[in-house]
Amino acid sequence: MAADKAEMDVLKKECDGLRTQIEAARKGVNDGNMSSAAGSATDVGRVQLKLRKSLKGHLAKIYSMHWASDSRSMVSASQDGKLLVWDTHTGNKLVAVPLKSAWVMSVAFAPSGNLVASGGLDNMCTVYNIKAASPKTLRELDAHTGYLSCCRFLSDTEIMTASGDTTCCLWDLETGKQKIIFTNHIGDCMSLALSPDENTFISGACDSLAKLWDLREGTCKQTFSGHTSDINAIQFFPNGNAFVTGSDDCSCKMYDLRSDQEVITYQDASLNAGVTSLTLSNSGRLIFAGYDDFNCHIWDSLKGEKVGVLSGHDNRVSCTGVPADGMGVCTGSWDSFLKLWN
Amino acid sequence: MPVINMDDLTDKDKALMAVNQLKTEIKLERWLTSKCCEEIKAYIQAGEEEDILFKGIAEDKNPFKEKGGCVIF
């Protein structure tokens, strides 16, 4: 027993030493953060977006939404036990997918538009073909030992999942089996995002860390700290060299990959609600972050200032998304509504 | 591919995993933050004009606009 403890102490000391060296290396390249670079950029001014549509149809809390690549269709998931596919230009519902388990936490649209996937407290990711005459279950991906918090398609044959069992996983949809398991977080994984070139992905977890992974090698390349509570949301900055996180510590942060550190924090003393979701406008200038305070607050990503708010939901904003063409922003809420703004 | 169940790992396994991960991460060549931030700013400024949410959109071009209204015969 004493030998075990001695071994653990040695390892812990080694960890501490390595961490100190990494922090020193980061400090060594920190010659200015985003605020200093942003000084000369024009002010955004007040961003006032209008509510264009309220999509009514779900009967319980909405937990997740995802735009299709056509920037017109969108899928939403509610704990009323349904996935709804919407035509956002008309407001019509196109497809309703009944779920075996109502406890859904995440939904995703495949780039092809043929498939959607969802999962949650059933620990599974179920993939549906929505182009069939009636929605058909294609695969049930069952291997995680914790809830499914997030899923994202790479194509009709591969999907990524993040789970409360602390791992992320790449699945082969043709076999229904796991291809690669990404293990390194020590807390529930809450969110993942694919890089624009799909060679890497980032994950945010309840260990308050964000990690960058090599999608094909299965290795963790970089780890980013700074948040003091669960990271619930994570999105790449459009050029793939930075990413933004949202946390229960009520702040959002932008991290840069090549300098391996945080470059700006988005927080406000008056905002005491956790961040549940986030999305960026196409240029990356605006960050739309959904909070527990029923609002989606808009941040100027360069100057770190709050520049607007999307108010109208009667409960927590649980999900947000901007389509590929950048035409608008969608918010989904526990109040059972989805709202479209621009 | 073997399933690694975090619950099956001993504290020592986890500590070893942490040490090995840090040994990998320490090797990274890091860029100056000023250069990285300038690049981010440049990317944003190049895309701002086409960013609808930043610039706004004309009513008649807005795909999400509520249809309907009065038709006068």
Side-chain angles (χ1 to χ4, degrees), chain A residues 291-313:
Chain A
Y291 288 73
D292 287 342
D293 72 352
F294 305 2
N295 294 316
C296 178
H297 294 278
I298 310 173
W299 295 89
D300 173 347
S301 67
L302 282 184
K303 301 204 173 195
E305 294 158 353
K306 209 160 83 62
V307 292
V309 63
L310 304 176
S311 290
H313 283 293

PDB file of all heavy atoms in Angstrom, chain A residues 291-313:
ATOM      1  N   TYR A 291     -28.210  31.195 -22.636  1.00  0.00           N
ATOM      2  CA  TYR A 291     -27.953  31.129 -21.203  1.00  0.00           C
ATOM      3  C   TYR A 291     -29.149  30.567 -20.449  1.00  0.00           C
ATOM      4  O   TYR A 291     -30.269  30.545 -20.951  1.00  0.00           O
ATOM      5  CB  TYR A 291     -27.665  32.541 -20.656  1.00  0.00           C
ATOM      6  CG  TYR A 291     -26.335  33.117 -21.051  1.00  0.00           C
ATOM      7  CD1 TYR A 291     -26.102  33.551 -22.349  1.00  0.00           C
ATOM      8  CD2 TYR A 291     -25.297  33.233 -20.119  1.00  0.00           C
ATOM      9  CE1 TYR A 291     -24.871  34.080 -22.720  1.00  0.00           C
ATOM     10  CE2 TYR A 291     -24.068  33.772 -20.485  1.00  0.00           C
ATOM     11  CZ  TYR A 291     -23.855  34.192 -21.779  1.00  0.00           C
ATOM     12  OH  TYR A 291     -22.645  34.718 -22.142  1.00  0.00           O
ATOM     13  N   ASP A 292     -28.921  30.192 -19.191  1.00  0.00           N
ATOM     14  CA  ASP A 292     -29.987  29.727 -18.308  1.00  0.00           C
ATOM     15  C   ASP A 292     -30.945  30.859 -17.958  1.00  0.00           C
ATOM     16  O   ASP A 292     -31.999  30.609 -17.374  1.00  0.00           O
ATOM     17  CB  ASP A 292     -29.397  29.178 -16.993  1.00  0.00           C
ATOM     18  CG  ASP A 292     -28.723  27.834 -17.187  1.00  0.00           C
ATOM     19  OD1 ASP A 292     -28.995  27.173 -18.204  1.00  0.00           O
ATOM     20  OD2 ASP A 292     -27.916  27.440 -16.320  1.00  0.00           O
ATOM     21  N   ASP A 293     -30.585  32.106 -18.255  1.00  0.00           N
ATOM     22  CA  ASP A 293     -31.445  33.243 -17.877  1.00  0.00           C
ATOM     23  C   ASP A 293     -32.543  33.505 -18.915  1.00  0.00           C
ATOM     24  O   ASP A 293     -33.122  34.593 -18.946  1.00  0.00           O
ATOM     25  CB  ASP A 293     -30.603  34.517 -17.638  1.00  0.00           C
ATOM     26  CG  ASP A 293     -30.046  35.117 -18.929  1.00  0.00           C
ATOM     27  OD1 ASP A 293     -30.164  34.483 -19.994  1.00  0.00           O
ATOM     28  OD2 ASP A 293     -29.494  36.223 -18.877  1.00  0.00           O
ATOM     29  N   PHE A 294     -32.796  32.560 -19.789  1.00  0.00           N
ATOM     30  CA  PHE A 294     -33.863  32.601 -20.806  1.00  0.00           C
ATOM     31  C   PHE A 294     -33.497  33.442 -22.033  1.00  0.00           C
ATOM     32  O   PHE A 294     -34.304  33.592 -22.937  1.00  0.00           O
ATOM     33  CB  PHE A 294     -35.212  33.125 -20.265  1.00  0.00           C
ATOM     34  CG  PHE A 294     -35.760  32.408 -19.056  1.00  0.00           C
ATOM     35  CD1 PHE A 294     -35.088  31.364 -18.433  1.00  0.00           C
ATOM     36  CD2 PHE A 294     -36.977  32.795 -18.523  1.00  0.00           C
ATOM     37  CE1 PHE A 294     -35.615  30.714 -17.310  1.00  0.00           C
ATOM     38  CE2 PHE A 294     -37.518  32.156 -17.402  1.00  0.00           C
ATOM     39  CZ  PHE A 294     -36.840  31.127 -16.799  1.00  0.00           C
ATOM     40  N   ASN A 295     -32.291  34.012 -22.039  1.00  0.00           N
ATOM     41  CA  ASN A 295     -31.890  34.841 -23.167  1.00  0.00           C
ATOM     42  C   ASN A 295     -30.751  34.235 -23.968  1.00  0.00           C
ATOM     43  O   ASN A 295     -30.030  33.363 -23.489  1.00  0.00           O
ATOM     44  CB  ASN A 295     -31.410  36.216 -22.678  1.00  0.00           C
ATOM     45  CG  ASN A 295     -32.499  37.029 -22.064  1.00  0.00           C
ATOM     46  OD1 ASN A 295     -33.601  37.095 -22.585  1.00  0.00           O
ATOM     47  ND2 ASN A 295     -32.197  37.660 -20.934  1.00  0.00           N
ATOM     48  N   CYS A 296     -30.592  34.770 -25.195  1.00  0.00           N
ATOM     49  CA  CYS A 296     -29.410  34.465 -25.988  1.00  0.00           C
ATOM     50  C   CYS A 296     -28.678  35.801 -26.079  1.00  0.00           C
ATOM     51  O   CYS A 296     -29.198  36.756 -26.657  1.00  0.00           O
ATOM     52  CB  CYS A 296     -29.828  33.962 -27.362  1.00  0.00           C
ATOM     53  SG  CYS A 296     -28.446  33.601 -28.434  1.00  0.00           S
ATOM     54  N   HIS A 297     -27.517  35.894 -25.482  1.00  0.00           N
ATOM     55  CA  HIS A 297     -26.765  37.146 -25.508  1.00  0.00           C
ATOM     56  C   HIS A 297     -25.791  37.138 -26.681  1.00  0.00           C
ATOM     57  O   HIS A 297     -25.244  36.093 -27.042  1.00  0.00           O
ATOM     58  CB  HIS A 297     -26.013  37.340 -24.186  1.00  0.00           C
ATOM     59  CG  HIS A 297     -26.934  37.535 -23.019  1.00  0.00           C
ATOM     60  ND1 HIS A 297     -27.505  38.761 -22.728  1.00  0.00           N
ATOM     61  CD2 HIS A 297     -27.415  36.657 -22.111  1.00  0.00           C
ATOM     62  CE1 HIS A 297     -28.290  38.630 -21.672  1.00  0.00           C
ATOM     63  NE2 HIS A 297     -28.261  37.366 -21.273  1.00  0.00           N
ATOM     64  N   ILE A 298     -25.601  38.330 -27.273  1.00  0.00           N
ATOM     65  CA  ILE A 298     -24.737  38.447 -28.443  1.00  0.00           C
ATOM     66  C   ILE A 298     -23.450  39.161 -28.045  1.00  0.00           C
ATOM     67  O   ILE A 298     -23.509  40.243 -27.446  1.00  0.00           O
ATOM     68  CB  ILE A 298     -25.433  39.248 -29.570  1.00  0.00           C
ATOM     69  CG1 ILE A 298     -26.845  38.695 -29.820  1.00  0.00           C
ATOM     70  CG2 ILE A 298     -24.601  39.191 -30.851  1.00  0.00           C
ATOM     71  CD1 ILE A 298     -27.671  39.519 -30.793  1.00  0.00           C
ATOM     72  N   TRP A 299     -22.315  38.558 -28.373  1.00  0.00           N
ATOM     73  CA  TRP A 299     -21.011  39.111 -28.011  1.00  0.00           C
ATOM     74  C   TRP A 299     -20.232  39.515 -29.262  1.00  0.00           C
ATOM     75  O   TRP A 299     -20.308  38.847 -30.291  1.00  0.00           O
ATOM     76  CB  TRP A 299     -20.180  38.074 -27.252  1.00  0.00           C
ATOM     77  CG  TRP A 299     -20.731  37.691 -25.931  1.00  0.00           C
ATOM     78  CD1 TRP A 299     -21.626  36.692 -25.683  1.00  0.00           C
ATOM     79  CD2 TRP A 299     -20.448  38.313 -24.659  1.00  0.00           C
ATOM     80  NE1 TRP A 299     -21.913  36.640 -24.341  1.00  0.00           N
ATOM     81  CE2 TRP A 299     -21.205  37.612 -23.687  1.00  0.00           C
ATOM     82  CE3 TRP A 299     -19.627  39.367 -24.251  1.00  0.00           C
ATOM     83  CZ2 TRP A 299     -21.164  37.950 -22.326  1.00  0.00           C
ATOM     84  CZ3 TRP A 299     -19.581  39.687 -22.906  1.00  0.00           C
ATOM     85  CH2 TRP A 299     -20.347  38.987 -21.959  1.00  0.00           C
ATOM     86  N   ASP A 300     -19.472  40.596 -29.145  1.00  0.00           N
ATOM     87  CA  ASP A 300     -18.511  40.990 -30.168  1.00  0.00           C
ATOM     88  C   ASP A 300     -17.264  40.140 -29.883  1.00  0.00           C
ATOM     89  O   ASP A 300     -16.609  40.332 -28.864  1.00  0.00           O
ATOM     90  CB  ASP A 300     -18.212  42.486 -30.030  1.00  0.00           C
ATOM     91  CG  ASP A 300     -17.097  42.960 -30.946  1.00  0.00           C
ATOM     92  OD1 ASP A 300     -16.370  42.116 -31.523  1.00  0.00           O
ATOM     93  OD2 ASP A 300     -16.942  44.180 -31.089  1.00  0.00           O
ATOM     94  N   SER A 301     -16.966  39.194 -30.772  1.00  0.00           N
ATOM     95  CA  SER A 301     -15.880  38.250 -30.482  1.00  0.00           C
ATOM     96  C   SER A 301     -14.523  38.937 -30.375  1.00  0.00           C
ATOM     97  O   SER A 301     -13.638  38.457 -29.671  1.00  0.00           O
ATOM     98  CB  SER A 301     -15.822  37.156 -31.560  1.00  0.00           C
ATOM     99  OG  SER A 301     -15.445  37.713 -32.807  1.00  0.00           O
ATOM    100  N   LEU A 302     -14.344  40.082 -31.102  1.00  0.00           N
ATOM    101  CA  LEU A 302     -13.048  40.774 -31.082  1.00  0.00           C
ATOM    102  C   LEU A 302     -12.857  41.613 -29.836  1.00  0.00           C
ATOM    103  O   LEU A 302     -11.817  41.558 -29.186  1.00  0.00           O
ATOM    104  CB  LEU A 302     -12.912  41.689 -32.308  1.00  0.00           C
ATOM    105  CG  LEU A 302     -12.575  41.043 -33.644  1.00  0.00           C
ATOM    106  CD1 LEU A 302     -12.393  42.132 -34.697  1.00  0.00           C
ATOM    107  CD2 LEU A 302     -11.306  40.212 -33.549  1.00  0.00           C
ATOM    108  N   LYS A 303     -13.874  42.397 -29.512  1.00  0.00           N
ATOM    109  CA  LYS A 303     -13.700  43.349 -28.411  1.00  0.00           C
ATOM    110  C   LYS A 303     -14.203  42.836 -27.075  1.00  0.00           C
ATOM    111  O   LYS A 303     -14.009  43.471 -26.046  1.00  0.00           O
ATOM    112  CB  LYS A 303     -14.403  44.667 -28.761  1.00  0.00           C
ATOM    113  CG  LYS A 303     -13.848  45.270 -30.038  1.00  0.00           C
ATOM    114  CD  LYS A 303     -14.048  46.749 -30.134  1.00  0.00           C
ATOM    115  CE  LYS A 303     -13.317  47.270 -31.352  1.00  0.00           C
ATOM    116  NZ  LYS A 303     -13.135  48.692 -31.378  1.00  0.00           N
ATOM    117  N   GLY A 304     -14.870  41.672 -27.110  1.00  0.00           N
ATOM    118  CA  GLY A 304     -15.295  41.091 -25.844  1.00  0.00           C
ATOM    119  C   GLY A 304     -16.447  41.779 -25.180  1.00  0.00           C
ATOM    120  O   GLY A 304     -16.678  41.599 -23.988  1.00  0.00           O
ATOM    121  N   GLU A 305     -17.194  42.578 -25.944  1.00  0.00           N
ATOM    122  CA  GLU A 305     -18.318  43.312 -25.356  1.00  0.00           C
ATOM    123  C   GLU A 305     -19.636  42.667 -25.732  1.00  0.00           C
ATOM    124  O   GLU A 305     -19.790  42.108 -26.817  1.00  0.00           O
ATOM    125  CB  GLU A 305     -18.328  44.754 -25.873  1.00  0.00           C
ATOM    126  CG  GLU A 305     -17.129  45.554 -25.412  1.00  0.00           C
ATOM    127  CD  GLU A 305     -16.837  46.754 -26.302  1.00  0.00           C
ATOM    128  OE1 GLU A 305     -17.472  46.907 -27.367  1.00  0.00           O
ATOM    129  OE2 GLU A 305     -15.948  47.531 -25.926  1.00  0.00           O
ATOM    130  N   LYS A 306     -20.584  42.807 -24.797  1.00  0.00           N
ATOM    131  CA  LYS A 306     -21.936  42.320 -25.070  1.00  0.00           C
ATOM    132  C   LYS A 306     -22.605  43.363 -25.958  1.00  0.00           C
ATOM    133  O   LYS A 306     -22.622  44.546 -25.607  1.00  0.00           O
ATOM    134  CB  LYS A 306     -22.704  42.173 -23.749  1.00  0.00           C
ATOM    135  CG  LYS A 306     -23.757  41.093 -23.790  1.00  0.00           C
ATOM    136  CD  LYS A 306     -24.144  40.631 -22.406  1.00  0.00           C
ATOM    137  CE  LYS A 306     -25.186  41.541 -21.786  1.00  0.00           C
ATOM    138  NZ  LYS A 306     -26.446  41.547 -22.559  1.00  0.00           N
ATOM    139  N   VAL A 307     -23.097  42.952 -27.132  1.00  0.00           N
ATOM    140  CA  VAL A 307     -23.625  43.922 -28.087  1.00  0.00           C
ATOM    141  C   VAL A 307     -25.095  43.741 -28.403  1.00  0.00           C
ATOM    142  O   VAL A 307     -25.648  44.488 -29.226  1.00  0.00           O
ATOM    143  CB  VAL A 307     -22.811  43.922 -29.400  1.00  0.00           C
ATOM    144  CG1 VAL A 307     -21.407  44.465 -29.144  1.00  0.00           C
ATOM    145  CG2 VAL A 307     -22.733  42.525 -30.014  1.00  0.00           C
ATOM    146  N   GLY A 308     -25.733  42.771 -27.775  1.00  0.00           N
ATOM    147  CA  GLY A 308     -27.156  42.607 -28.060  1.00  0.00           C
ATOM    148  C   GLY A 308     -27.720  41.425 -27.297  1.00  0.00           C
ATOM    149  O   GLY A 308     -26.996  40.698 -26.619  1.00  0.00           O
ATOM    150  N   VAL A 309     -29.029  41.270 -27.417  1.00  0.00           N
ATOM    151  CA  VAL A 309     -29.675  40.135 -26.754  1.00  0.00           C
ATOM    152  C   VAL A 309     -30.897  39.705 -27.557  1.00  0.00           C
ATOM    153  O   VAL A 309     -31.580  40.533 -28.178  1.00  0.00           O
ATOM    154  CB  VAL A 309     -30.064  40.506 -25.298  1.00  0.00           C
ATOM    155  CG1 VAL A 309     -31.092  41.629 -25.266  1.00  0.00           C
ATOM    156  CG2 VAL A 309     -30.596  39.293 -24.559  1.00  0.00           C
ATOM    157  N   LEU A 310     -31.133  38.403 -27.610  1.00  0.00           N
ATOM    158  CA  LEU A 310     -32.344  37.872 -28.237  1.00  0.00           C
ATOM    159  C   LEU A 310     -33.237  37.439 -27.086  1.00  0.00           C
ATOM    160  O   LEU A 310     -32.973  36.450 -26.403  1.00  0.00           O
ATOM    161  CB  LEU A 310     -32.010  36.673 -29.126  1.00  0.00           C
ATOM    162  CG  LEU A 310     -30.964  36.910 -30.227  1.00  0.00           C
ATOM    163  CD1 LEU A 310     -30.662  35.620 -30.973  1.00  0.00           C
ATOM    164  CD2 LEU A 310     -31.428  37.986 -31.204  1.00  0.00           C
ATOM    165  N   SER A 311     -34.273  38.259 -26.845  1.00  0.00           N
ATOM    166  CA  SER A 311     -35.189  37.966 -25.732  1.00  0.00           C
ATOM    167  C   SER A 311     -36.515  37.527 -26.274  1.00  0.00           C
ATOM    168  O   SER A 311     -36.992  38.076 -27.267  1.00  0.00           O
ATOM    169  CB  SER A 311     -35.446  39.237 -24.922  1.00  0.00           C
ATOM    170  OG  SER A 311     -34.311  39.595 -24.238  1.00  0.00           O
ATOM    171  N   GLY A 312     -37.133  36.586 -25.596  1.00  0.00           N
ATOM    172  CA  GLY A 312     -38.454  36.188 -26.059  1.00  0.00           C
ATOM    173  C   GLY A 312     -38.841  34.818 -25.557  1.00  0.00           C
ATOM    174  O   GLY A 312     -40.012  34.461 -25.505  1.00  0.00           O
ATOM    175  N   HIS A 313     -37.828  34.047 -25.181  1.00  0.00           N
ATOM    176  CA  HIS A 313     -38.146  32.717 -24.656  1.00  0.00           C
ATOM    177  C   HIS A 313     -38.600  32.822 -23.207  1.00  0.00           C
ATOM    178  O   HIS A 313     -38.184  33.735 -22.483  1.00  0.00           O
ATOM    179  CB  HIS A 313     -36.922  31.804 -24.757  1.00  0.00           C
ATOM    180  CG  HIS A 313     -36.676  31.298 -26.154  1.00  0.00           C
ATOM    181  ND1 HIS A 313     -37.533  30.431 -26.798  1.00  0.00           N
ATOM    182  CD2 HIS A 313     -35.667  31.546 -27.031  1.00  0.00           C
ATOM    183  CE1 HIS A 313     -37.066  30.163 -28.008  1.00  0.00           C
ATOM    184  NE2 HIS A 313     -35.932  30.828 -28.175  1.00  0.00           N
TER     185      HIS A 313
END
